[in-house]
Amino acid sequence: MDVTSVDFVADAHEAAVLRIADMLRHPDDLTNKLPLARKKVAMERASIEAQLKTVMEAQLDGTQKGIDALRFCRGETAKVRAALTHMDSLCGESSNVIKNFAHIKRMSRTHQNFVATKAMVEQFQLINQQLARIQTFLEEDSAKTVGPAENLVFVHYQLQMLSKFRDATLARSRGCSTDVVNTLSIMFKKLESLEYKFENYLWILSKVTVELVRSGYSSTVVRLVKIIEAEERADEVSAMQEELGSSGALGSGSVSGSNHSLGRSESRRPVNDRSRSNNVKGYRIKFFDVLRESIQEEMRLMYDANCRDPPAMLKAADGIVDTLIVVSDDVKPLFPKRYNIFLFFVLEYHRAIYEMVNKLTEGDMDPATILQVIKWVRDYYASMSARLDVSEDMLEPRLLDGREEELTLEYIKLVRSKLSEWLSNILQSETLDFLERNDPPEMDGNGQYLLTGSVIVFQMFNQQLDVVATSSRGQLLHDVVMECCNTLEAFQAAWIKILDSEFAKFTAKSADLSEGLVEYIMALANDSLRSSEFSETISIRLEGMTEESIRQTVTSRVRAAMDGFMRITKRCQQILVDIVMSDIQPALAYLYCPQWYEQDVMRLIVGTFEDYGADFQSHLSDYVYGKLMTELLDRFLIAHVEAFKNKNAKFKIPAAPERMRSDLDLVTAFFAATKNAKRARASFDVIEKIIGLIEANPRMVFLDFYALWKAFPDVPLEFIERVLGKRDDLEKAQLREIMESCRAKAKEERQENVPPSLFSKISMK
């Protein structure tokens, strides 16, 4: 038994056992369900047997019909074989049955030759007229390259017919003399010339296929395709007949056939087709070659016209996607599907673009061009996908050969180099003016001193942002901003170094220090403040330009650069204050000394303040001026407080306090005029309290000390002692008693975590 049968029976037995087990799950089922189960199984069996019987009868009927059909075919085949045998015998015996068969055969051939000769002569008589007509139509169509070309198919058909006539004529003349062959060749020269012109015109039309469709001449493209298809079919037929001829099929047919079959064979002139096969035209291949050459020529002309202007070249190349849309929507339906015309255009244009981009990137490119190329490639792939549904994987080879990262790094390198070069040039120009100070700084319309370097630096910054923003909102933009911020930090460091160097010369009273330092420091302060405002503007701009992932990093870095400019502004303020304080330092040393009683020292100090203040107010921005005067007030307060402990100071009571108040009113009036009057007076409250301590009754000094100490808990007791020690009305014993009570009170009400006041900045040396 077959193994398959055994498996089938075993499977059936197993299935039956499982079904019975499912039907009789409990012992009681043998009593309750067994009769019903037998009845049900019997009914199912009867139904299945009936179905099998019906199917088997249908199969047997079909088999019987097949056998009957085969038997009938066998009989018919025998009849056909007998008829063919009879026909063969009749053909073989015909020459014996028919009288004068050989003569009749020669007469038939002679008649056929006369008919063929007559047709050939008539064709020769008409050929010049036909060629002239064809040439007229061809010239009429070719006069306008992008036109309807209504005679195109007619001209092709006529040339094809004349070409067949020529091939047949030349084939029959193979056994003739050389003179005959040469004469025939001369006669067909004009035909060959017209064929050459027609083919040239055909390939010219092929080159402008897309332009024809754009101009509304789709019918011309249809005619072009029809001609290519007709030539392809002719090539296929010729190739097939050549293959049959080479195997001897045609030759054997001509020999064994009858008279009539020979005549028909000659009238069809198979020799014509065999002669064409020796020169297969291959119009379809030539058509694609011409298209390829036209695309390459188009891209070459585009490159040559814009090789010195890469942005214009890339802009011109944007039109390729529009061309491909025309191909997809309008050209593709005019061609058979097997041509894959759209895919051909896509790949050929892509390969031409690949060559163009490679040529562009082989030479030296400036940073802007690198970015434009990277962006253009990215947009090209996006447009091909979105507008033409052509994926990036289909477009081979890959543009830039995957060198986007390399070009990005090269761009960053060029940006770094350019920024460094520009910064060096700006610093060289700006610092030369700052150091030599041959002329005063430039002023704006409000009379404020300014430098020009920051404007140029931020123009560079914005130019880089403008360029890179067109290509990237992500990592590349981040890298460019980082490089620009590095340049700003280098710019800031250079100015801080120059500023400190010039101030060191001023402090050392160097002989090579040029005049005008104050004016140029004011200009630098204003310029740095303006740079800070520029930085804020760029930070706001970047918030709208950058991707979320880098926004925080970029804006934080720009704000750090903004803080750097504010540090320069603050440093300028400090140096200006230092210069002012340096000028009044000799006068401060005379305060409360014998000279103070003889001269109006405070008037000299305030006069100096007024001179500098007038210049500051005229040539500094309001913000810098306000900050500078605040710092000058703070520094003067510290110097004023320290002046109370001048080495030669002596407080004559009651003359000294009165003069002190006069000086206080004078200096308070100056600062009240430059700042908020209430705030200025509040700042001098410490001087008022010290004067009160100096003029207090020896027995009431404790109260004035407490008022001073309550307002300034960090006032050193040593300072109190030294100030009181300069009063000419206190004995040493009284001073000791006063200081003991002051120390006791300070110890009793000592405060923790006292905020520092100006007393924390006073030196007690």
Side-chain angles (χ1 to χ4, degrees), residues 468-726:
V468 77
T470 62
S471 304
S472 170
R473 298 169 62 87
Q475 188 60 40
L476 181 57
L477 179 59
H478 169 275
D479 293 342
V480 170
V481 171
M482 294 301 109
E483 289 298 330
C484 290
C485 287
N486 290 338
T487 301
L488 293 180
E489 290 174 356
F491 183 73
Q492 295 162 5
W495 271 120
I496 290 289
K497 184 177 180 181
I498 293 168
L499 194 59
D500 289 342
S501 173
E502 288 299 289
F503 181 61
K505 292 180 182 179
F506 173 84
T507 304
K509 302 187 184 304
S510 175
D512 62 347
L513 181 67
S514 303
E515 296 290 334
L517 179 61
V518 172
E519 287 77 6
Y520 270 86
I521 291 177
M522 285 193 285
L524 180 58
N526 290 335
D527 199 57
S528 297
L529 179 65
R530 184 170 60 172
S531 297
S532 177
E533 294 170 354
F534 289 158
S535 300
E536 179 66 22
T537 302
I538 288 178
S539 177
I540 295 171
R541 181 186 178 193
L542 284 170
E543 289 182 359
M545 291 172 57
T546 52
E547 295 176 352
E548 185 67 30
S549 59
I550 66 167
R551 185 172 301 153
Q552 183 63 35
T553 305
V554 167
T555 53
S556 297
R557 186 65 186 279
V558 174
R559 289 196 178 97
M562 179 176 65
D563 294 341
F565 284 111
M566 290 304 297
R567 283 193 293 272
I568 295 178
T569 302
K570 187 172 183 180
R571 181 60 180 146
C572 290
Q573 296 168 11
Q574 292 171 349
I575 292 177
L576 289 173
V577 171
D578 286 340
I579 291 173
V580 175
M581 294 304 294
S582 175
D583 278 3
I584 67 170
Q585 191 60 44
L588 289 172
Y590 290 148
L591 284 177
Y592 317 124
C593 297
Q595 297 90 335
W596 178 66
Y597 293 96
E598 298 171 358
Q599 304 173 16
D600 195 351
V601 176
M602 189 57 73
R603 170 58 63 183
L604 293 175
I605 293 173
V606 172
T608 303
F609 283 164
E610 288 173 345
D611 291 341
Y612 277 108
D615 286 343
F616 293 159
Q617 190 169 20
S618 299
H619 302 302
L620 282 175
S621 68
D622 293 341
Y623 174 84
V624 177
Y625 174 72
K627 291 291 185 180
L628 185 146
M629 295 308 294
T630 299
E631 185 166 351
L632 180 60
L633 173 59
D634 293 340
R635 291 280 298 278
F636 175 71
L637 282 172
I638 295 171
H640 197 174
V641 170
E642 287 184 334
F644 283 106
K645 58 182 183 63
N646 281 340
K647 182 177 180 181
N648 297 323
K650 199 69 176 177
F651 305 140
K652 298 178 182 180
I653 306 299
E658 293 176 1
R659 187 153 191 164
M660 288 178 183
R661 282 203 165 82
S662 176
D663 289 350
L664 181 59
D665 291 341
L666 186 64
V667 74
T668 302
F670 168 76
F671 282 104
T674 60
K675 293 177 58 62
N676 182 280
K678 185 176 180 180
R679 183 177 177 185
R681 292 190 180 91
S683 299
F684 283 100
D685 182 59
V686 62
I687 306 298
E688 181 66 40
K689 284 181 166 52
I690 294 174
I691 295 173
L693 187 68
I694 292 171
E695 69 176 355
N697 187 292
R699 287 177 294 181
M700 304 298 293
V701 169
F702 171 76
L703 295 177
D704 290 281
F705 160 74
Y706 186 73
L708 178 62
W709 183 80
K710 200 68 177 175
F712 304 95
D714 59 340
V715 58
L717 292 176
E718 183 183 355
F719 175 79
I720 301 296
E721 185 175 5
R722 290 176 66 173
V723 169
L724 292 176
K726 294 182 181 295

Side-chain angles (χ1 to χ4, degrees), residues 201-434:
Y201 176 55
L202 202 66
W203 304 138
I204 290 173
L205 290 178
S206 300
K207 288 182 177 181
V208 295
T209 298
V210 177
E211 189 60 33
L212 285 168
V213 174
R214 277 179 172 159
S215 302
Y217 297 116
S218 299
S219 58
T220 302
V221 178
V222 173
R223 295 185 187 99
L224 176 65
V225 174
K226 284 183 175 294
I227 291 171
I228 294 172
E229 286 289 282
E231 291 293 341
E232 284 290 299
R233 287 192 296 271
D235 286 346
E236 291 172 2
V237 171
S238 297
M240 186 182 301
Q241 290 184 350
E242 177 68 15
E243 183 179 349
L244 292 174
S246 62
S247 63
L250 289 176
S252 61
S254 299
V255 172
S256 62
S258 66
N259 280 348
H260 301 288
S261 67
L262 178 62
R264 285 193 298 271
S265 177
E266 288 180 356
S267 67
R268 285 194 296 269
R269 296 189 290 274
V271 68
N272 176 23
D273 289 325
R274 288 199 299 274
S275 108
R276 174 190 171 94
S277 68
N278 294 328
N279 186 24
V280 175
K281 293 184 177 181
Y283 269 28
R284 181 176 169 185
I285 296 174
K286 289 182 181 178
F287 171 73
F288 283 113
D289 288 342
V290 168
L291 278 183
R292 183 179 296 107
E293 291 172 2
S294 69
I295 292 171
Q296 292 172 352
E297 179 68 11
E298 176 188 350
M299 297 302 294
R300 186 187 65 78
L301 292 174
M302 182 188 299
Y303 179 84
D304 291 344
N306 302 287
C307 60
R308 298 183 182 277
D309 188 2
M313 184 190 304
L314 296 175
K315 185 176 181 181
D318 287 336
I320 291 172
V321 177
D322 297 329
T323 300
L324 291 175
I325 290 174
V326 173
V327 173
S328 176
D329 295 344
D330 302 325
V331 177
K332 181 180 176 182
L334 306 178
F335 286 80
K337 288 184 178 180
R338 67 179 184 278
Y339 277 51
N340 288 324
I341 193 70
F342 174 65
L343 183 60
F344 174 83
F345 270 97
V346 167
L347 294 180
E348 290 304 321
Y349 267 117
H350 178 75
R351 289 168 186 145
I353 290 172
Y354 173 81
E355 295 296 330
M356 181 193 75
V357 171
N358 279 356
K359 287 181 182 178
L360 188 60
T361 56
E362 282 174 359
D364 294 332
M365 295 187 293
D366 56 47
T369 302
I370 293 176
L371 279 186
Q372 288 170 345
V373 170
I374 294 173
K375 179 181 182 297
W376 189 89
V377 169
R378 192 179 298 127
D379 291 345
Y380 166 74
Y381 281 122
S383 295
M384 293 294 284
S385 176
R387 301 176 67 185
L388 292 168
D389 197 25
V390 176
S391 66
E392 190 172 334
D393 295 337
M394 292 176 60
L395 300 172
E396 292 291 341
R398 184 176 176 81
L399 297 185
L400 298 176
D401 295 319
R403 294 188 296 118
E404 291 88 344
E405 186 67 25
E406 177 186 337
L407 287 175
T408 301
L409 294 176
E410 183 179 348
Y411 171 75
I412 295 297
K413 181 179 177 182
L414 285 173
V415 167
R416 186 182 302 120
S417 174
K418 288 293 184 182
L419 289 175
S420 177
E421 179 184 345
W422 293 336
L423 178 63
S424 176
N425 293 336
I426 292 169
L427 284 175
Q428 184 177 1
S429 173
E430 287 287 294
T431 56
L432 186 63
D433 292 339
F434 189 92

Side-chain angles (χ1 to χ4, degrees), residues 73-88:
C73 289
R74 186 176 181 181
E76 291 298 313
T77 302
K79 291 179 182 178
V80 170
R81 183 184 296 111
L84 289 173
T85 302
H86 179 65
M87 290 173 61
D88 183 61

